[in-house]
Amino acid sequence: MNILGISAFFHDSAAALVSDGEIVAAAQEERFTRRKHDDRYPGKAVSFCLEQADITPADVDVAVFFEKPLVKFERLLETHLSVAPRGFAPLRRALPLWARQKLQLPELMREHLGGSFRGDLRFVGHHESHAASAFYPSPYEEAAILTLDAVGEWATASVGTGTGNQIELTHEMRFPHSLGMLYSAFTYYTGFKVNSGEYKLMGLAPYGEPRYADLILEKVVDVRRDGSVSLDMSYFDYCHGLRMTSEKFHQTFGGPPRKPESMITQKEMDLAASIQAVTEEAVLRSAHFAHEVTGKSKLVLAGGVALNCVANGELLRKGPFEEIWVQPAAGDAGGALGAALQVWHGVLGNSRKPTPGDSQHGSFLGPRFSSDDIELFLDSLGASYHRVKEESDLLDQVAGLLDESKVIGWFHGRMEYGPRALGGRSIIGDPRSPEMQAVMNLKIKFRESFRPFAPCVLREHVHEVFETRFEEDSPYMLFVAPVHEDWRVDLSDEDRQRMQDPDLRTRVSVARSRIPAVTHVDYSARIQTVDAERHGRYYRMMLRFYEMTGCPVVVNTSFNIRGEPIVCTPEDAFRCFMATDMDALVLEDFILLKSDQPAGLAPDVETYRAQFGLD
Ligand SMILES: [Fe+2]
């Protein structure tokens, strides 16, 4: 039985295919259309899922949408009407889209799938989809479920239990009270883009002091004992305006929002630290509540807030749960997978046997490309390459390049599902190099240099390098942990001085550990553990680098530039390689050096960058 899950029309559209309970394929539409956070119907992602399983729309038994459009429409209507006439403008703007797409979704889905589709059409609630995406792929027979996000239909957070093949959500928090919206309001106020800049705000937090936290708790939000939040809506504008925050908010926090792309000041850093602290407190309390009402020792998490890996790390260290599994596609893209799994298990009652590790396959659920296809493509371009037949030779060369501080585009196997690159479509480098963070940020990603990179670490060595309490793995880069004392370095007086510099770039350039490129100012790091089973060649490459250098860590960042969706095809990868200062590109069995490429193959960098909006 083939169940096709679809999420669309908010942000990050995606499709997922579950065949006889197995997760066969899943991908975000943005990767195919090259439009970041593409929210249109995911036609290309659907086509990929069907191709991957070698089926046609006629073979799809159920197509399921990740939320209930009528209930969501009711919420939009009520929200806007409750503040009429002020709310009329956004409603008028939203209405034609809703009328066209959301209310006519059944027709639209049938139309897109084509005449041969004869299956059922179903709808699963937004938070049910998140909950299903968290519980069903997890390795647990039973677990508490916590979903935390901005908003779906009415719910903005939910708590429940997963047992065997069933999930039951017992508590929910409702719009407009929402932890996700609160975080997004601060994202907006500090000059970052809502629904994509949240990650930057989190990255900024360690530079600040949480000196606004009390003010936030006193005026803006009440965090209750059970972790639910109650917002004073006079500080917000998202019910009736197109902005997130109100004049009163701006007065309270000392002025208008920071202009996007302008200088980041200590105020923004302190605001980031403050909202992060408030969020962590709410997440921790929610988890205690979930623990109390479910009595389970394990927790699964999804929803956009579950991508806050700093809060997840705190939860793991301080929270009541022994183990936590987070859906790597925790945002709305993951709803496609959750909806499909909910139909298979929850609705149709098919049994479920938890897989050790999990059944997410490392989240490598997107397309792969054969070396033969890649060779045809490279020949058609006239690119210069070496095809390396023996894997051990290839890995020797890659490890050698890393050791020479070269930056490498690494393209291998299936593309990742979810927002993070995990070794399928990654840019990698040597974390020991003090310049690596600045080089990768400025010359490769073309973005703000305060942003830290994440380390990939060989699973066997994680406890040497980081102070973690994972007994299990952290293969999805969803938990933050401190760099181990033994790997930290003492700061000189001069370095201490530089750590106080108002310019973030100066602070970033201070090496605080033996792996400075992945060590944040507070010694934290977003860890991805890499293991032989999930990561295959990527693991073997890291092992080779370790044997050569004694360093079990590489820098891993997504294979893209600022504002660009992560690369999907060899063409995308080659273009990105040529438009940036990357030194080498590894496309499956091929190694390409930048210095060998014919000059005519380089795209105009400015034109390339201009294709992608600022994120
Ligand atoms: Fe959501």
Side-chain angles (χ1 to χ4, degrees), residues 482-611:
V483 172
H484 200 286
E485 293 265 350
D486 297 351
W487 282 67
R488 299 183 191 183
V489 292
D490 292 331
L491 297 187
S492 64
D493 287 345
E494 192 194 328
D495 282 343
R496 272 178 227 282
Q497 204 60 41
R498 286 163 65 212
M499 286 297 291
Q500 305 301 319
D501 198 289
D503 191 333
L504 283 182
R505 284 165 297 189
T506 308
R507 290 194 225 176
V508 161
S509 67
V510 176
R512 286 163 300 272
S513 80
R514 283 150 59 195
I515 41 173
V518 294
T519 307
H520 217 319
V521 283
D522 58 355
Y523 294 102
S524 66
R526 274 179 295 156
I527 299 169
Q528 180 190 353
T529 57
V530 173
D531 61 84
E533 199 181 318
R534 279 194 188 88
H535 299 97
R537 179 179 283 187
Y538 189 62
Y539 170 85
R540 295 189 291 278
M541 180 275 294
M542 285 186 59
L543 192 62
R544 189 70 201 92
F545 181 65
Y546 171 69
E547 288 161 358
M548 199 179 271
T549 64
C551 177
V553 179
V554 299
V555 184
N556 169 29
T557 184
S558 51
F559 198 147
N560 58 355
I561 65 164
R562 184 178 181 190
E564 179 185 20
I566 295 175
V567 300
C568 176
T569 64
E571 289 92 323
D572 301 335
F574 185 80
R575 264 198 311 269
C576 186
F577 165 63
M578 291 302 290
T580 64
D581 273 1
M582 250 181 270
D583 301 295
L585 171 64
V586 181
L587 288 171
E588 296 295 347
D589 296 343
F590 301 86
I591 297 184
L592 292 82
L593 298 178
K594 177 69 64 60
S595 51
D596 293 349
Q597 301 311 312
L601 292 182
D604 177 61
V605 178
E606 289 314 313
T607 314
Y608 184 74
R609 288 176 64 178
Q611 292 175 63

Side-chain angles (χ1 to χ4, degrees), residues 96-322:
L97 189 74
W98 277 96
R100 250 197 346 268
Q101 297 183 320
K102 292 164 190 161
L103 297 179
Q104 294 176 1
L105 200 61
E107 291 82 350
L108 191 80
M109 281 168 70
R110 286 198 187 280
E111 189 186 307
H112 277 282
L113 285 167
S116 65
F117 171 66
R118 295 269 177 275
D120 272 356
L121 276 180
R122 288 178 181 265
F123 299 89
V124 168
H126 187 104
H127 276 256
E128 248 181 317
S129 296
H130 278 316
S133 79
F135 177 64
Y136 291 127
S138 82
Y140 311 139
E141 173 60 30
E142 49 184 66
I145 301 172
L146 181 58
T147 69
L148 296 165
D149 78 345
V151 62
E153 292 100 358
W154 280 103
T156 59
S158 66
V159 169
T161 310
T163 313
N165 66 350
Q166 293 295 313
I167 55 172
E168 190 194 0
L169 297 179
T170 50
H171 298 74
E172 68 173 30
M173 197 160 85
R174 293 201 135 203
F175 187 85
H177 304 290
S178 159
L179 191 55
M181 294 294 244
L182 176 68
Y183 207 89
S184 292
F186 278 89
T187 304
Y188 167 83
Y189 184 65
T190 47
F192 300 110
K193 209 168 174 177
V194 170
N195 291 332
S196 72
E198 282 76 6
Y199 223 62
K200 296 185 196 176
L201 191 61
M202 185 185 76
L204 199 58
Y207 296 96
E209 291 296 326
R211 58 189 187 88
Y212 296 99
D214 289 341
L215 186 64
I216 296 171
L217 290 169
E218 192 186 307
K219 304 257 188 198
V220 179
V221 57
D222 181 24
V223 180
R224 301 196 191 92
R225 205 189 71 84
D226 62 5
S228 64
V229 297
S230 172
L231 306 180
D232 179 340
M233 293 311 295
S234 64
Y235 288 92
F236 300 91
D237 214 10
Y238 55 75
C239 284
H240 36 69
L242 296 168
R243 293 183 317 180
M244 293 297 294
T245 48
S246 70
E247 261 331 300
K248 189 171 169 187
F249 188 109
H250 305 164
Q251 278 164 18
T252 306
F253 293 101
R258 179 181 75 99
K259 272 207 178 73
E261 308 304 312
S262 65
M263 174 92 173
I264 294 170
T265 67
Q266 194 59 43
K267 178 186 167 189
E268 280 78 42
M269 303 175 213
D270 291 342
L271 281 165
S274 305
I275 191 61
Q276 182 64 31
V278 170
T279 301
E280 284 168 21
E281 186 57 33
V283 170
L284 209 56
R285 287 187 193 186
S286 303
H288 274 285
F289 176 71
H291 186 252
E292 226 170 83
V293 297
T294 65
K296 304 294 178 200
S297 60
K298 293 166 174 125
L299 174 71
V300 296
L301 270 176
V305 180
L307 292 171
N308 192 312
C309 43
V310 182
N312 294 347
E314 285 292 291
L315 193 53
L316 200 58
R317 274 184 294 280
K318 296 183 185 159
F321 290 98
E322 283 167 21

